[in-house]
């Protein structure tokens, strides 16, 4: 009884996800006229050149390279900044640390769309328009809140004895990090 209901729900969800993907992939083999007249059916004539032209285009590979570079820079900067910040919040006690942490976490409340215009103006004023850093830095800024939260919880979960043993051996915060 419940198994059938569960499988029926899973099939419906799978169909909602898979049908648009398959339709789009098959649509890539159609001519423009065929796509307009027969959007959901199989192509009358399979045009492999549609995909081949994209894969052989230098513009496509340039865009893929740009995306890869931006993703790598964003992840590397976010990991470095968030890990150091979270480690500090987890292990170093200083005046205003709670307030500063809450300031970082406040960024989780606002979607990126609310800051598009001020962000554009700031990037323009910094001279970062049409540059990789003009894309990477805002992504890092919007990713820091969640990253700090996750890293901080991880660092707080480390056994205190580990830090005590390292400190006794003459290890400072930076080497322990």
């Amino acid at each position: 009884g419940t198994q059938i209901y569960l499988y029926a729900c899973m099939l419906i969800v799978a169909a909602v996800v898979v049908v648009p993907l398959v339709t789009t992939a098959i649509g890539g083999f159609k001519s423009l006229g065929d796509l307009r007249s027969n959007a959901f059916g199989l192509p009358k004539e399979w045009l492999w050149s549609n995909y081949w032209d994209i894969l052989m285009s230098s513009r496509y590979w340039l865009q893929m390279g740009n995306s890869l570079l931006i993703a790598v820079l964003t992840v590397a900067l976010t990991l470095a900044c968030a890990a150091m910040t979270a480690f500090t919040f987890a292990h170093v006690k200083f005046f205003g640390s709670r307030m500063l942490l809450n300031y970082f976490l406040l960024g989780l409340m606002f979607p990126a769309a609310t800051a598009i215009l001020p962000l554009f103006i700031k990037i323009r004023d910094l001279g970062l328009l049409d540059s990789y850093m003009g894309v990477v830095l805002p992504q890092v800024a919007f990713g820091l809140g969640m990253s700090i939260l996750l890293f901080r919880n991880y660092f707080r979960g480390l056994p205190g004895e580990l830090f005590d043993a390292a400190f006794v051996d003459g290890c400072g915060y930076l080497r322990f990090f």
Side-chain angles (χ1 to χ4, degrees):
T2 23
Q3 288 286 62
I4 294 171
Y5 174 73
L6 182 65
Y7 284 122
C9 288
M10 287 177 15
L11 279 172
I12 291 170
V13 170
V16 166
V17 172
V18 170
V19 167
L21 291 175
V22 170
T23 304
T24 303
I26 290 175
F29 292 106
K30 297 177 183 179
S31 66
L32 195 56
D34 198 15
L35 193 57
R36 288 183 180 149
S37 63
N38 182 19
F40 295 105
L42 291 174
K44 292 179 181 138
E45 180 186 344
W46 292 78
L47 299 176
W48 294 89
S49 62
N50 289 347
Y51 283 113
W52 186 251
D53 290 345
I54 290 172
L55 290 176
M56 291 298 112
S57 166
S58 61
R59 184 174 176 213
Y60 171 76
W61 292 107
L62 178 67
Q63 291 172 345
M64 290 295 281
N66 284 339
S67 296
L68 180 66
L69 180 64
I70 287 169
V72 167
L73 286 173
T74 300
V75 169
L77 275 174
T78 304
L79 283 176
C81 294
M84 289 186 285
T85 306
F87 181 82
T88 302
F89 283 134
H91 291 294
V92 181
K93 303 298 177 221
F94 59 93
F95 175 75
S97 65
R98 295 290 296 168
M99 188 172 65
L100 193 56
L101 176 64
N102 288 334
Y103 180 73
F104 275 114
L105 297 182
L106 191 66
L108 295 173
M109 292 177 49
F110 301 101
T114 59
I116 291 295
L117 185 60
L119 191 59
F120 173 79
I121 292 169
K122 182 55 73 181
I123 289 172
R124 183 196 63 200
D125 292 348
L126 291 171
L128 293 175
L129 287 181
D130 294 329
S131 71
Y132 290 117
M133 283 300 140
V135 177
V136 170
L137 291 177
Q139 289 184 0
V140 170
F142 281 104
L144 274 179
M146 181 59 77
S147 302
I148 288 171
L149 180 67
L150 294 173
F151 271 125
R152 180 176 169 264
N153 289 336
Y154 168 75
F155 286 132
R156 288 180 79 191
L158 290 175
E161 295 83 19
L162 189 64
F163 182 71
D164 294 338
F167 194 67
V168 166
D169 290 340
C171 190
Y173 285 112
L174 191 59
R175 281 187 61 206
F176 181 69
F177 170 72

